[in-house]
Amino acid sequence: MIDITKILKRAWNIIWTYRALWAIGLILALTTAGAMPRNNNSGWREDVRRPGESYEWPSGETIQEAVEQMRQEFNRVNTWERISTSEWNTFLWILVGVVGLAMVLGIVMTIVRYVAETATIRMVDEYERSGQKVGIRQGLRYGWSRTAWRLFLINLLISLPVILLIVLGLGSGVGIYFLIIADNPLFSVPGVIAMIGLVFLLIFLGVVLGVLLQLLRDFFWRACALEQVGVGEALRRGWSMVRRNWKSVGLMWLVMIAVRIGWSIALVIAFVLSLPLLLVTGIVGLLVGGLPALLVGGLSSLFLGGPLPWMIGAIIGLPLFLVVAFAPLIYFRGLELVYNSTVWTLTYRELNALQSLALGDNRPQVELEPIQQDDHDDRA
């Protein structure tokens, strides 16, 4: 059984003293989906209702009246009617260009993300083996290898079953909806209820499978990055390690859930304490995002009319504003990602060492080439 407390303390010590990992964590936070921390706790909303009291939700008529009033206010100047067909076509072509640019940026961010993931794993492993700390530039060189590509393939492979289940469930739900509104006589009420239950079951299984594969992925990645093996061998070795040490892995997984809850609480505290800093970064964000938005909107107004130029400006400026305005929280999120990665890297090393001792394995461990040299270890 692994010493979980020792691993958690060691991971924290590494994060606290290894400053280059902070920058790698910031890269991870900026390139990982859902980079902004989310806190689902309802502590901000206290239920102060007294016994017997109830709140009335707005009726459908009230909501409809509000929407109609907003629509009338929006169209009062008739700005949309002054937009010609050619201007709409120009706007659509610009929108297509922005989407294409976003796709290219997404590909670049994906590449950078897996380079950073690989760098984090191998920098921690290198530090544990030799006590050597490296800089940001050298760490990224360590991640720029075929291993990063293999991590992407592993993540893609384990995501396919979840995606398939969720798409199947949502597709079945859409099919049931159209059959119901078409009054198809082949479907009785019990049959429809049963199929709806099947849809929710598929979605539930997809969520459970996603959680399980997410846990296995951490071991697949480390088998690939630390033992320098291909995708298939990494899947085999990672699964074998989890299967042999399922108690330790399961206990560590539960502990990491508690750690994430504690990190969310710390995030709320950090958010409150950093409100003055967030005010400053918000002002800077308005400048960084607002100036490009005004520039793009002004240039677009030369050949577009109505609110279209400012819609394009908002599309360009809003992402810049969000990144700069919430930079402290993004940075905090990066530390969380690096800490989580470090814990699982240390867990994998500990389990691997215990397994070698139990089997009496005297084979030499796989050594990575020094980080100062070019990364040629993935040629095979």
Side-chain angles (χ1 to χ4, degrees):
M1 183 69 70
I2 59 175
D3 190 340
I4 294 179
T5 303
K6 174 185 174 183
I7 291 176
L8 295 178
K9 290 181 178 179
R10 178 58 180 164
W12 176 255
N13 182 67
I14 291 175
I15 297 301
W16 185 253
T17 59
Y18 204 162
R19 303 298 174 84
L21 288 174
W22 297 7
I24 302 296
L26 180 60
I27 295 174
L28 283 175
L30 290 172
T31 56
T32 302
M36 290 301 298
R38 293 186 300 270
N39 183 18
N40 296 325
N41 296 330
S42 58
W44 294 99
R45 299 177 303 171
E46 296 185 4
D47 190 359
V48 295
R49 287 179 294 179
R50 298 177 182 177
E53 289 184 344
S54 61
Y55 295 123
E56 294 184 2
W57 292 93
S59 63
E61 295 180 357
T62 304
I63 296 176
Q64 186 176 359
E65 291 176 359
V67 172
E68 181 64 22
Q69 184 177 359
M70 291 175 60
R71 187 186 66 80
Q72 292 176 0
E73 292 292 333
F74 188 72
N75 294 327
R76 175 174 294 180
V77 191
N78 297 322
T79 55
W80 296 98
E81 296 179 359
R82 298 202 304 264
I83 301 176
S84 64
T85 303
S86 61
E87 288 177 333
W88 273 114
N89 292 335
T90 303
F91 172 74
L92 292 178
W93 278 112
I94 293 176
L95 194 60
V96 169
V98 172
V99 172
L101 180 62
M103 292 178 64
V104 173
L105 182 61
I107 293 174
V108 173
M109 291 179 64
T110 300
I111 295 173
V112 174
R113 181 245 174 130
Y114 286 99
V115 169
E117 293 277 9
T118 306
T120 303
I121 295 172
R122 295 176 65 172
M123 287 169 68
V124 172
D125 180 66
E126 173 75 14
Y127 180 60
E128 285 297 282
R129 288 190 299 106
S130 63
Q132 180 183 10
K133 296 179 181 178
V134 299
I136 301 170
R137 179 173 157 290
Q138 292 175 321
L140 291 176
R141 282 177 50 201
Y142 216 31
W144 184 259
S145 63
R146 288 187 181 179
T147 301
W149 167 246
R150 290 168 181 165
L151 296 191
F152 168 75
L153 291 178
I154 290 173
N155 199 36
L156 179 62
L157 287 175
I158 66 175
S159 299
L160 289 178
V162 178
I163 295 174
L164 181 61
L165 278 176
I166 293 179
V167 169
L168 183 60
L170 294 177
S172 300
V174 172
I176 293 173
Y177 170 76
F178 283 110
L179 288 173
I180 291 176
I181 64 175
D183 293 330
N184 193 307
L186 297 178
F187 286 85
S188 60
V189 174
V192 170
I193 294 176
M195 292 190 66
I196 293 175
L198 178 61
V199 170
F200 282 102
L201 177 62
L202 289 174
I203 296 177
F204 173 76
L205 291 177
V207 173
V208 173
L209 182 61
V211 172
L212 176 61
L213 291 178
Q214 189 82 5
L215 173 63
L216 293 174
R217 185 197 66 179
D218 289 322
F219 288 86
F220 296 157
W221 276 4
R222 281 147 187 83
C224 179
L226 302 183
E227 302 186 33
Q228 297 298 288
V229 296
V231 173
E233 184 65 16
L235 296 177
R236 188 187 67 81
R237 294 193 184 189
W239 167 251
S240 177
M241 177 167 289
V242 172
R243 181 174 54 83
R244 284 193 298 265
N245 304 278
W246 63 271
K247 291 183 180 179
S248 296
V249 172
L251 185 58
M252 177 60 80
W253 178 66
L254 293 175
V255 170
M256 289 306 295
I257 292 178
V259 169
R260 280 193 288 271
I261 294 174
W263 204 281
S264 299
I265 296 174
L267 174 63
V268 175
I269 298 175
F271 175 78
V272 174
L273 296 178
S274 63
L275 282 177
L277 179 60
L278 288 174
L279 179 61
V280 174
T281 56
I283 296 174
V284 177
L286 286 175
L287 295 176
V288 174
L291 292 179
L294 291 175
L295 178 62
V296 173
L299 293 175
S300 300
S301 64
L302 297 177
F303 47 87
L304 291 177
L308 297 182
W310 310 115
M311 291 173 62
I312 296 176
I315 293 175
I316 299 298
L318 185 59
L320 298 175
F321 165 75
L322 293 177
V323 169
V324 176
F326 294 99
L329 299 183
I330 295 175
Y331 185 75
F332 195 82
R333 169 65 171 167
L335 293 179
E336 178 189 1
L337 292 173
V338 172
Y339 181 78
N340 183 75
S341 176
T342 302
V343 168
W344 287 115
T345 299
L346 297 178
T347 301
Y348 186 93
R349 287 177 52 87
E350 185 76 11
L351 292 175
N352 198 28
L354 293 176
Q355 177 181 324
S356 299
L357 290 175
L359 298 177
D361 189 359
N362 295 321
R363 293 175 297 176
Q365 298 292 323
V366 175
E367 295 289 337
L368 302 177
E369 292 187 5
I371 194 168
Q372 293 85 352
Q373 302 178 8
D374 291 336
D375 191 358
H376 299 302
D377 49 53
D378 290 321
R379 289 179 178 176

